[in-house]
Coordinates of all heavy atoms in Angstrom, one line a residue:
D1 N 28.7 2.5 -19.4 CA 27.5 2.3 -18.7 C 26.6 1.3 -19.5 O 26.7 1.3 -20.7 CB 26.7 3.6 -18.6 CG 27.5 4.6 -17.7 OD1 28.2 4.1 -16.8 OD2 27.4 5.8 -17.9
K2 N 25.9 0.5 -18.8 CA 25.1 -0.5 -19.4 C 23.6 -0.4 -19.0 O 23.3 0.0 -17.8 CB 25.6 -1.9 -19.0 CG 27.0 -2.2 -19.3 CD 27.2 -2.5 -20.7 CE 28.7 -2.9 -20.9 NZ 29.0 -3.1 -22.3
L3 N 22.7 -0.8 -19.8 CA 21.3 -0.9 -19.5 C 20.9 -2.3 -19.7 O 21.2 -2.9 -20.8 CB 20.5 0.0 -20.5 CG 19.0 -0.1 -20.4 CD1 18.5 0.3 -19.1 CD2 18.3 0.6 -21.5
F4 N 20.4 -3.0 -18.7 CA 20.0 -4.4 -18.8 C 18.5 -4.4 -18.8 O 17.8 -3.7 -18.0 CB 20.5 -5.2 -17.6 CG 22.0 -5.3 -17.6 CD1 22.8 -4.4 -16.9 CD2 22.6 -6.3 -18.3 CE1 24.2 -4.5 -16.9 CE2 24.0 -6.4 -18.3 CZ 24.8 -5.5 -17.7
L5 N 17.9 -5.3 -19.6 CA 16.5 -5.5 -19.8 C 16.2 -7.0 -19.6 O 16.7 -7.8 -20.4 CB 16.0 -5.0 -21.1 CG 14.6 -5.2 -21.5 CD1 13.7 -4.4 -20.5 CD2 14.3 -4.7 -22.9
D6 N 15.5 -7.4 -18.6 CA 15.1 -8.8 -18.4 C 13.7 -9.0 -18.9 O 12.8 -8.4 -18.3 CB 15.3 -9.1 -16.9 CG 15.1 -10.5 -16.5 OD1 14.8 -11.4 -17.4 OD2 15.2 -10.9 -15.3
I7 N 13.6 -9.9 -19.9 CA 12.3 -10.1 -20.5 C 11.9 -11.6 -20.3 O 12.7 -12.5 -20.6 CB 12.3 -9.8 -22.0 CG1 12.5 -8.3 -22.1 CG2 11.0 -10.2 -22.6 CD1 12.6 -7.8 -23.6
S8 N 10.7 -11.8 -19.8 CA 10.2 -13.2 -19.6 C 8.9 -13.2 -20.4 O 8.0 -12.4 -20.3 CB 9.9 -13.5 -18.2 OG 11.1 -13.5 -17.4
M9 N 8.7 -14.3 -21.2 CA 7.5 -14.5 -22.0 C 6.9 -15.8 -21.7 O 7.6 -16.8 -21.5 CB 7.7 -14.2 -23.5 CG 8.2 -12.8 -23.8 SD 8.4 -12.6 -25.5 CE 9.9 -13.5 -25.8
V10 N 5.6 -16.0 -21.8 CA 4.9 -17.2 -21.7 C 5.2 -18.1 -22.9 O 5.4 -19.3 -22.8 CB 3.4 -17.0 -21.4 CG1 2.7 -18.4 -21.4 CG2 3.1 -16.2 -20.2
E11 N 5.2 -17.5 -24.1 CA 5.4 -18.3 -25.3 C 6.6 -17.8 -26.0 O 7.1 -16.7 -25.8 CB 4.2 -18.0 -26.2 CG 2.9 -18.4 -25.7 CD 1.7 -18.1 -26.6 OE1 1.9 -17.8 -27.8 OE2 0.6 -18.0 -26.1
N12 N 7.2 -18.6 -26.9 CA 8.3 -18.2 -27.7 C 7.8 -17.2 -28.7 O 6.9 -17.5 -29.5 CB 8.9 -19.4 -28.4 CG 9.8 -20.3 -27.5 OD1 10.3 -19.7 -26.6 ND2 9.9 -21.5 -27.9
R13 N 8.3 -16.0 -28.7 CA 7.9 -15.0 -29.6 C 9.1 -14.2 -30.0 O 10.1 -14.1 -29.3 CB 6.9 -14.1 -29.0 CG 5.5 -14.7 -28.8 CD 4.5 -13.7 -28.5 NE 3.2 -14.4 -28.3 CZ 2.2 -13.9 -27.7 NH1 2.3 -12.7 -27.1 NH2 1.1 -14.5 -27.5
E14 N 9.0 -13.6 -31.2 CA 10.1 -12.6 -31.6 C 9.7 -11.2 -31.2 O 8.6 -10.8 -31.4 CB 10.2 -12.7 -33.1 CG 11.4 -11.9 -33.6 CD 11.7 -12.0 -35.0 OE1 11.4 -13.1 -35.6 OE2 12.2 -11.1 -35.6
L15 N 10.6 -10.5 -30.6 CA 10.4 -9.2 -30.2 C 11.5 -8.3 -30.8 O 12.6 -8.8 -30.9 CB 10.5 -9.0 -28.6 CG 9.4 -9.6 -27.8 CD1 9.6 -9.4 -26.3 CD2 8.0 -9.1 -28.2
T16 N 11.2 -7.1 -31.1 CA 12.2 -6.1 -31.5 C 12.2 -5.0 -30.4 O 11.2 -4.5 -30.0 CB 11.8 -5.5 -32.8 OG1 11.7 -6.5 -33.8 CG2 12.8 -4.4 -33.3
I17 N 13.4 -4.7 -29.9 CA 13.6 -3.7 -28.9 C 14.4 -2.6 -29.4 O 15.5 -2.8 -30.0 CB 14.3 -4.3 -27.6 CG1 13.4 -5.4 -27.0 CG2 14.6 -3.2 -26.6 CD1 13.6 -6.8 -27.4
K18 N 13.9 -1.4 -29.3 CA 14.6 -0.2 -29.9 C 14.8 0.8 -28.7 O 14.0 0.9 -27.9 CB 13.8 0.5 -30.9 CG 13.5 -0.3 -32.2 CD 12.6 0.5 -33.1 CE 12.2 -0.3 -34.3 NZ 11.4 0.5 -35.2
I19 N 15.9 1.5 -28.8 CA 16.1 2.7 -28.0 C 16.1 3.9 -28.9 O 16.8 4.0 -29.8 CB 17.5 2.6 -27.2 CG1 17.5 1.4 -26.3 CG2 17.7 3.9 -26.4 CD1 18.8 1.2 -25.5
V20 N 15.2 4.8 -28.5 CA 14.9 6.0 -29.4 C 15.1 7.2 -28.5 O 14.7 7.3 -27.4 CB 13.5 5.9 -29.9 CG1 13.2 7.1 -30.8 CG2 13.2 4.6 -30.7
N21 N 15.8 8.2 -29.1 CA 16.0 9.5 -28.4 C 14.8 10.4 -28.5 O 13.8 10.0 -29.1 CB 17.3 10.2 -28.8 CG 17.2 10.7 -30.2 OD1 16.2 10.8 -30.8 ND2 18.4 11.2 -30.7
Q22 N 14.8 11.5 -27.8 CA 13.6 12.4 -27.8 C 13.2 13.0 -29.1 O 12.1 13.4 -29.3 CB 13.9 13.6 -26.8 CG 13.9 13.2 -25.4 CD 14.0 14.4 -24.5 OE1 15.1 15.0 -24.5 NE2 13.1 14.6 -23.7
V23 N 14.1 13.0 -30.1 CA 13.8 13.6 -31.4 C 13.4 12.4 -32.4 O 13.2 12.7 -33.6 CB 14.9 14.5 -32.0 CG1 15.1 15.7 -31.2 CG2 16.2 13.7 -32.2
G24 N 13.3 11.2 -31.9 CA 12.9 10.1 -32.7 C 14.0 9.3 -33.4 O 13.7 8.4 -34.2
M25 N 15.2 9.7 -33.2 CA 16.3 8.9 -33.8 C 16.6 7.6 -33.1 O 16.7 7.5 -31.9 CB 17.6 9.7 -33.7 CG 18.8 9.0 -34.4 SD 20.4 9.6 -34.0 CE 20.4 11.3 -34.6
V26 N 16.6 6.5 -33.9 CA 16.8 5.2 -33.3 C 18.3 5.1 -33.0 O 19.1 5.2 -33.9 CB 16.3 4.1 -34.3 CG1 16.7 2.7 -33.7 CG2 14.8 4.2 -34.5
K27 N 18.6 4.8 -31.7 CA 20.0 4.7 -31.3 C 20.5 3.3 -31.4 O 21.7 3.0 -31.6 CB 20.2 5.2 -29.9 CG 19.8 6.7 -29.7 CD 20.7 7.6 -30.4 CE 22.0 7.7 -29.6 NZ 23.0 8.6 -30.1
E28 N 19.6 2.3 -31.1 CA 20.0 0.9 -31.2 C 18.8 0.0 -31.3 O 17.7 0.4 -30.9 CB 20.7 0.5 -29.8 CG 21.3 -0.8 -29.8 CD 22.3 -1.0 -28.6 OE1 22.6 0.0 -27.9 OE2 22.7 -2.2 -28.5
V29 N 19.0 -1.1 -32.0 CA 17.9 -2.1 -32.2 C 18.5 -3.5 -31.9 O 19.5 -3.8 -32.4 CB 17.4 -2.1 -33.7 CG1 16.3 -3.1 -33.9 CG2 16.8 -0.7 -34.0
Q30 N 17.7 -4.3 -31.2 CA 18.1 -5.7 -30.9 C 16.8 -6.5 -31.1 O 15.7 -6.0 -30.8 CB 18.6 -5.9 -29.5 CG 20.0 -5.3 -29.3 CD 20.6 -5.7 -28.0 OE1 20.3 -6.8 -27.4 NE2 21.5 -4.9 -27.5
S31 N 17.0 -7.8 -31.5 CA 15.9 -8.7 -31.6 C 16.0 -9.8 -30.5 O 17.1 -10.2 -30.1 CB 15.9 -9.4 -33.0 OG 15.6 -8.4 -33.9
L32 N 14.9 -10.3 -30.1 CA 14.8 -11.4 -29.1 C 14.0 -12.5 -29.6 O 12.8 -12.3 -30.1 CB 14.3 -10.8 -27.8 CG 13.9 -11.8 -26.7 CD1 15.2 -12.5 -26.2 CD2 13.2 -11.1 -25.6
N33 N 14.4 -13.7 -29.6 CA 13.6 -14.9 -29.9 C 13.7 -15.8 -28.7 O 14.8 -16.2 -28.2 CB 14.2 -15.7 -31.1 CG 14.0 -14.9 -32.3 OD1 12.9 -14.4 -32.6 ND2 15.0 -14.7 -33.1
G34 N 12.6 -16.3 -28.1 CA 12.7 -17.2 -27.0 C 11.8 -16.7 -25.9 O 11.1 -15.7 -25.9
K35 N 11.8 -17.5 -24.8 CA 10.9 -17.2 -23.7 C 11.5 -16.3 -22.7 O 10.8 -15.5 -22.0 CB 10.5 -18.5 -22.9 CG 9.6 -19.4 -23.7 CD 9.1 -20.5 -22.9 CE 8.1 -21.3 -23.6 NZ 7.6 -22.4 -22.8
R36 N 12.8 -16.3 -22.5 CA 13.5 -15.5 -21.5 C 14.8 -15.1 -21.9 O 15.6 -15.8 -22.5 CB 13.6 -16.2 -20.1 CG 14.2 -15.4 -19.0 CD 14.2 -16.1 -17.7 NE 14.8 -15.3 -16.7 CZ 14.2 -14.5 -15.9 NH1 12.9 -14.5 -15.9 NH2 14.8 -13.8 -15.0
S37 N 15.1 -13.8 -21.7 CA 16.4 -13.3 -22.1 C 16.8 -12.1 -21.3 O 15.9 -11.3 -20.9 CB 16.5 -13.0 -23.5 OG 17.8 -12.6 -23.9
V38 N 18.0 -11.9 -20.9 CA 18.5 -10.6 -20.4 C 19.3 -10.0 -21.5 O 20.2 -10.5 -22.0 CB 19.4 -10.9 -19.2 CG1 20.0 -9.5 -18.7 CG2 18.6 -11.6 -18.0
M39 N 18.8 -8.8 -21.9 CA 19.4 -8.1 -23.0 C 20.3 -7.0 -22.4 O 20.0 -6.4 -21.4 CB 18.4 -7.5 -23.9 CG 17.5 -8.6 -24.4 SD 16.3 -7.9 -25.6 CE 17.3 -7.7 -27.0
E40 N 21.4 -6.7 -23.0 CA 22.4 -5.7 -22.6 C 22.5 -4.7 -23.6 O 22.8 -5.0 -24.8 CB 23.7 -6.4 -22.3 CG 24.8 -5.4 -21.8 CD 26.1 -6.1 -21.5 OE1 26.0 -7.3 -21.0 OE2 27.1 -5.5 -21.7
F41 N 22.4 -3.4 -23.3 CA 22.6 -2.3 -24.2 C 23.8 -1.4 -23.6 O 23.8 -1.1 -22.5 CB 21.3 -1.4 -24.3 CG 20.2 -2.1 -24.9 CD1 19.3 -2.8 -24.1 CD2 19.9 -2.1 -26.2 CE1 18.2 -3.5 -24.6 CE2 18.8 -2.7 -26.8 CZ 18.0 -3.4 -26.0
D42 N 24.7 -1.1 -24.5 CA 25.8 -0.3 -24.1 C 25.4 1.2 -24.3 O 25.3 1.6 -25.5 CB 27.1 -0.6 -24.9 CG 28.3 0.2 -24.5 OD1 28.2 1.1 -23.6 OD2 29.3 0.0 -25.1
V43 N 25.2 1.9 -23.3 CA 24.7 3.3 -23.4 C 25.8 4.3 -23.0 O 25.5 5.4 -22.8 CB 23.4 3.5 -22.6 CG1 22.3 2.7 -23.1 CG2 23.7 3.2 -21.1
S44 N 27.0 3.8 -23.0 CA 28.2 4.7 -22.5 C 28.4 5.9 -23.5 O 28.9 6.9 -23.0 CB 29.4 3.9 -22.4 OG 29.8 3.3 -23.6
N45 N 28.0 5.7 -24.7 CA 28.2 6.8 -25.7 C 27.0 7.7 -25.9 O 26.9 8.6 -26.7 CB 28.6 6.3 -27.0 CG 30.0 5.6 -27.0 OD1 30.9 6.1 -26.3 ND2 30.2 4.6 -27.7
Y46 N 25.9 7.4 -25.1 CA 24.7 8.2 -25.2 C 24.8 9.5 -24.4 O 25.4 9.5 -23.3 CB 23.5 7.4 -24.6 CG 23.0 6.2 -25.4 CD1 23.8 5.6 -26.4 CD2 21.8 5.7 -25.2 CE1 23.4 4.6 -27.1 CE2 21.3 4.6 -26.0 CZ 22.1 4.1 -26.9 OH 21.7 3.0 -27.6
S47 N 24.3 10.5 -24.9 CA 24.2 11.8 -24.1 C 23.2 11.6 -23.0 O 22.3 10.9 -23.1 CB 23.8 12.9 -25.0 OG 24.7 13.1 -26.1
S48 N 23.4 12.4 -21.9 CA 22.5 12.4 -20.8 C 21.1 12.9 -21.4 O 21.1 13.8 -22.2 CB 22.9 13.3 -19.7 OG 24.1 12.8 -19.2
G49 N 20.1 12.3 -20.9 CA 18.7 12.7 -21.3 C 17.7 11.6 -21.2 O 18.0 10.5 -20.7
I50 N 16.6 11.9 -21.8 CA 15.5 10.9 -21.8 C 15.5 10.1 -23.1 O 15.6 10.7 -24.2 CB 14.1 11.6 -21.6 CG1 14.1 12.3 -20.2 CG2 12.9 10.7 -21.8 CD1 12.9 13.2 -20.0
Y51 N 15.3 8.8 -23.0 CA 15.2 7.9 -24.1 C 14.0 7.1 -24.0 O 13.4 6.9 -22.8 CB 16.5 7.0 -24.2 CG 17.7 7.8 -24.6 CD1 18.4 8.5 -23.6 CD2 18.2 7.9 -25.9 CE1 19.5 9.2 -23.9 CE2 19.3 8.6 -26.2 CZ 20.0 9.3 -25.2 OH 21.1 10.0 -25.5
Y52 N 13.5 6.5 -25.0 CA 12.4 5.6 -25.0 C 12.7 4.2 -25.4 O 13.4 4.0 -26.5 CB 11.3 6.2 -25.9 CG 10.8 7.5 -25.4 CD1 11.4 8.7 -25.9 CD2 9.9 7.6 -24.3 CE1 11.0 9.9 -25.4 CE2 9.6 8.9 -23.8 CZ 10.1 10.0 -24.4 OH 9.7 11.2 -23.9
L53 N 12.4 3.2 -24.6 CA 12.6 1.8 -24.9 C 11.4 1.3 -25.5 O 10.3 1.2 -24.8 CB 13.0 1.1 -23.6 CG 13.4 -0.3 -23.7 CD1 14.8 -0.4 -24.4 CD2 13.5 -0.9 -22.3
T54 N 11.4 0.9 -26.7 CA 10.2 0.5 -27.5 C 10.3 -1.0 -27.6 O 11.3 -1.5 -28.2 CB 10.1 1.2 -28.8 OG1 10.1 2.6 -28.6 CG2 8.8 0.8 -29.5
I55 N 9.3 -1.8 -27.2 CA 9.2 -3.2 -27.4 C 8.1 -3.5 -28.3 O 6.9 -3.2 -28.0 CB 9.1 -3.9 -26.0 CG1 10.2 -3.5 -25.1 CG2 9.0 -5.4 -26.2 CD1 10.1 -4.0 -23.7
I56 N 8.4 -4.2 -29.4 CA 7.4 -4.4 -30.4 C 7.4 -5.9 -30.8 O 8.5 -6.5 -31.0 CB 7.6 -3.6 -31.7 CG1 7.6 -2.1 -31.4 CG2 6.6 -3.9 -32.8 CD1 8.1 -1.3 -32.5
G57 N 6.2 -6.5 -30.9 CA 6.1 -7.9 -31.3 C 4.6 -8.3 -31.5 O 3.8 -7.4 -31.5
E58 N 4.4 -9.6 -31.7 CA 3.0 -10.0 -31.9 C 2.2 -9.8 -30.6 O 2.6 -10.2 -29.5 CB 3.0 -11.5 -32.2 CG 1.6 -12.0 -32.5 CD 1.6 -13.5 -32.9 OE1 2.7 -14.0 -33.3 OE2 0.6 -14.2 -32.6
N59 N 1.2 -9.0 -30.7 CA 0.3 -8.6 -29.5 C 1.1 -7.9 -28.5 O 0.6 -7.8 -27.3 CB -0.3 -9.9 -28.9 CG -1.2 -10.6 -29.9 OD1 -1.9 -10.0 -30.7 ND2 -1.2 -11.9 -29.9
V60 N 2.2 -7.3 -28.8 CA 3.0 -6.5 -27.8 C 3.4 -5.2 -28.5 O 4.0 -5.2 -29.6 CB 4.2 -7.3 -27.3 CG1 5.1 -6.4 -26.4 CG2 3.9 -8.6 -26.7
N61 N 3.1 -4.1 -27.8 CA 3.6 -2.8 -28.3 C 3.6 -1.9 -27.1 O 2.6 -1.4 -26.7 CB 2.7 -2.2 -29.4 CG 3.3 -1.0 -30.1 OD1 4.4 -0.6 -29.7 ND2 2.6 -0.5 -31.0
T62 N 4.8 -1.7 -26.5 CA 4.9 -0.9 -25.3 C 6.1 0.0 -25.4 O 7.1 -0.3 -26.0 CB 5.0 -1.8 -24.0 OG1 5.0 -1.0 -22.9 CG2 6.3 -2.6 -24.0
I63 N 6.0 1.1 -24.7 CA 7.1 2.1 -24.6 C 7.4 2.5 -23.2 O 6.4 2.7 -22.4 CB 6.7 3.4 -25.4 CG1 6.5 3.1 -26.9 CG2 7.8 4.4 -25.3 CD1 5.9 4.2 -27.7
Q64 N 8.6 2.4 -22.8 CA 9.0 2.8 -21.4 C 10.0 3.9 -21.5 O 11.0 3.9 -22.3 CB 9.7 1.6 -20.7 CG 8.7 0.5 -20.5 CD 7.6 0.8 -19.5 OE1 7.9 1.4 -18.5 NE2 6.4 0.5 -19.8
K65 N 9.9 4.9 -20.7 CA 10.8 6.0 -20.6 C 12.1 5.6 -19.8 O 11.9 5.0 -18.7 CB 10.2 7.2 -20.0 CG 11.1 8.4 -20.0 CD 10.4 9.7 -19.6 CE 9.8 9.7 -18.2 NZ 9.2 11.0 -17.8
V66 N 13.3 5.9 -20.3 CA 14.5 5.6 -19.6 C 15.3 6.9 -19.5 O 15.4 7.6 -20.5 CB 15.3 4.6 -20.4 CG1 16.7 4.3 -19.8 CG2 14.6 3.3 -20.6
V67 N 15.9 7.2 -18.3 CA 16.7 8.4 -18.2 C 18.1 7.9 -18.1 O 18.5 7.1 -17.2 CB 16.3 9.1 -16.9 CG1 17.2 10.3 -16.7 CG2 14.8 9.6 -17.0
I68 N 19.0 8.5 -18.9 CA 20.4 8.2 -18.9 C 21.1 9.4 -18.3 O 20.9 10.6 -18.7 CB 21.0 8.0 -20.4 CG1 20.2 6.9 -21.1 CG2 22.5 7.8 -20.3 CD1 20.4 5.5 -20.6
Q69 N 21.9 9.2 -17.3 CA 22.6 10.3 -16.6 C 24.0 10.4 -16.9 O 24.7 9.4 -17.2 CB 22.4 10.2 -15.1 CG 20.9 10.3 -14.7 CD 20.7 10.2 -13.2 OE1 21.6 9.8 -12.5 NE2 19.5 10.6 -12.8

């Protein structure tokens, strides 16, 4: 199973994207440099449940809930 994340930015910036489980364990980290990118995360080995997609960068800090079934 794959999780795709499509990110578009106005300016070239570096972002760090993390997938974190419910107990706070970081499952995966990827970095992005540039204005647009489609990122792919292999979640086939993840247990079913709720995870948090954390996007951190200059003037950006957001968390989105993701459900893996």
Side-chain angles (χ1 to χ4, degrees):
D1 296 328
K2 305 280 185 187
L3 171 67
F4 293 94
L5 178 64
D6 187 358
I7 296 180
S8 299
M9 296 183 286
V10 175
E11 301 174 18
N12 283 335
R13 292 193 178 158
E14 183 175 335
L15 294 177
T16 300
I17 295 90
K18 297 180 185 179
I19 298 179
V20 180
N21 67 13
Q22 285 184 300
V23 295
M25 181 197 297
V26 177
K27 300 291 287 183
E28 189 167 351
V29 178
Q30 290 189 26
S31 294
L32 168 68
N33 291 310
K35 288 188 176 185
R36 184 178 177 94
S37 181
V38 176
M39 304 184 77
E40 179 180 327
F41 295 89
D42 182 0
V43 296
S44 59
N45 293 324
Y46 289 20
S47 299
S48 296
I50 297 172
Y51 293 82
Y52 298 95
L53 187 68
T54 305
I55 303 171
I56 301 168
E58 184 181 335
N59 299 322
V60 176
N61 190 359
T62 188
I63 299 173
Q64 296 293 317
K65 183 168 64 171
V66 176
V67 178
I68 304 292
Q69 297 181 344

